Amino acid sequence: EADIYQTPRYLVIGTGKKITLECSQTMGHDKMYWYQQDPGMELHLIHYSYGVNSTEKGDLSSESTVSRIRTEHFPLTLESARPSHTSQYLCASRESDTEAFFGQGTRLTVV
Amino acid sequence: AQTVTQSQPEMSVQEAETVTLSCTYDTSESDYYLFWYKQPPSRQMILVIRQEAYKQQNATENRFSVNFQKAAKSFSLKISDSQLGDAAMYFCAYEWGAQKLVFGQGTRLTINP
């Protein structure tokens, strides 16, 4: 069982609301990632981090932002949620060259 | 940019049979890592197998093995003696230089009893 946790697991929220998806890992991994995945579809990298105070945008343009103030914590924030943001968001962490450990995901629905 | 392509959106196999999932990738690097991940329905993504590009020997994990063809930039996954629990989405992934981990489009594998 991987020590990486995402909260909430499910979220339904109204358009225009600000939301933060939480991701925490207790393995001391430097690298953390956020992926967006529609059900049964491919993963799109939206943000990643190599360590504290290091964040980069991924391949998929996203209106979200991230922060990495502590090694174990990598929250993702949407300032103004829209229906197009409805998706599943997966967080992962890893050490270099090793396997990535994934959280259980947050399924977001914006109405 | 590095890309990963899985050309089989769906595959099915009879229980106890063998199935091969395809993956190709595009890179100009010589040293990198390749992975196969499994995502069961409504469950967490987990690693199936990994391959270092500098190793010529194909990786094997129990019933799972890969056919790594570096010159052809091909990295297929073979599942032997398929079991019902193998049903899942399978993703091929690439990583170079300890940087971002890039995934393919995924292949949905169905096991027929």
Side-chain angles (χ1 to χ4, degrees):
Chain A
E1 197 78 14
D3 295 323
I4 179 165
Y5 307 99
Q6 289 185 244
T7 57
R9 289 288 311 280
Y10 303 92
L11 179 62
V12 180
I13 199 162
T15 297
K17 298 292 186 182
K18 177 180 178 178
I19 57 171
T20 296
L21 307 185
E22 302 288 349
C23 177
S24 295
Q25 50 97 4
T26 59
M27 297 172 282
H29 291 165
D30 286 330
K31 296 175 179 55
M32 296 189 74
Y33 307 81
W34 276 105
Y35 292 89
Q36 183 175 342
Q37 182 191 29
D38 290 328
M41 303 295 285
E42 64 187 294
L43 282 73
H44 294 284
L45 180 66
I46 51 176
H47 295 283
Y48 58 106
S49 168
Y50 297 147
V52 171
N53 295 325
S54 156
T55 62
E56 301 283 344
K57 286 188 179 295
D59 299 319
L60 181 68
S61 175
S62 173
E63 294 160 342
S64 58
T65 59
V66 292
S67 63
R68 190 84 183 278
I69 298 172
R70 303 198 319 263
T71 296
E72 61 271 21
H73 197 212
F74 191 41
L76 181 144
T77 298
L78 278 167
E79 291 292 333
S80 180
R82 295 209 303 264
S84 61
H85 295 139
T86 294
S87 188
Q88 176 167 247
Y89 293 83
L90 294 175
C91 180
S93 75
R94 61 197 290 256
E95 288 295 337
S96 298
D97 308 333
T98 63
E99 69 176 287
F101 291 91
F102 283 81
Q104 292 186 293
T106 293
R107 195 175 296 276
L108 173 66
T109 302
V110 183
V111 297
Chain B
Q2 289 79 18
T3 58
V4 179
T5 302
Q6 293 178 248
S7 58
Q8 305 156 314
E10 297 184 356
M11 291 283 285
S12 64
V13 64
Q14 291 295 127
E15 193 176 2
E17 296 293 310
T18 295
V19 63
T20 299
L21 308 184
S22 301
C23 173
T24 59
Y25 56 95
D26 182 28
T27 184
S28 58
E29 303 301 324
S30 59
D31 194 14
Y32 48 86
Y33 292 81
L34 296 163
F35 306 86
W36 277 99
Y37 283 86
K38 171 184 177 181
Q39 187 180 38
S42 302
R43 293 179 61 187
Q44 280 169 283
M45 184 96 73
I46 58 173
L47 178 72
V48 175
I49 200 165
R50 68 191 290 260
Q51 174 81 43
E52 295 93 335
Y54 64 86
K55 289 186 178 180
Q56 293 185 333
Q57 187 174 5
N58 290 322
T60 299
E61 285 288 344
N62 301 315
R63 296 182 296 107
F64 298 87
S65 61
V66 299
N67 184 6
F68 174 48
Q69 300 290 328
K70 191 171 184 178
K73 296 179 184 176
S74 171
F75 182 61
S76 61
L77 174 70
K78 185 172 81 171
I79 306 174
S80 304
D81 186 24
S82 298
Q83 301 176 0
L84 295 177
D86 295 334
M89 285 288 290
Y90 285 82
F91 292 93
C92 179
Y94 165 97
E95 186 231 16
W96 164 73
Q99 296 188 28
K100 55 187 179 182
L101 186 59
V102 179
F103 285 80
Q105 301 91 332
T107 297
R108 183 182 306 278
L109 178 64
T110 301
I111 311 296
N112 300 313

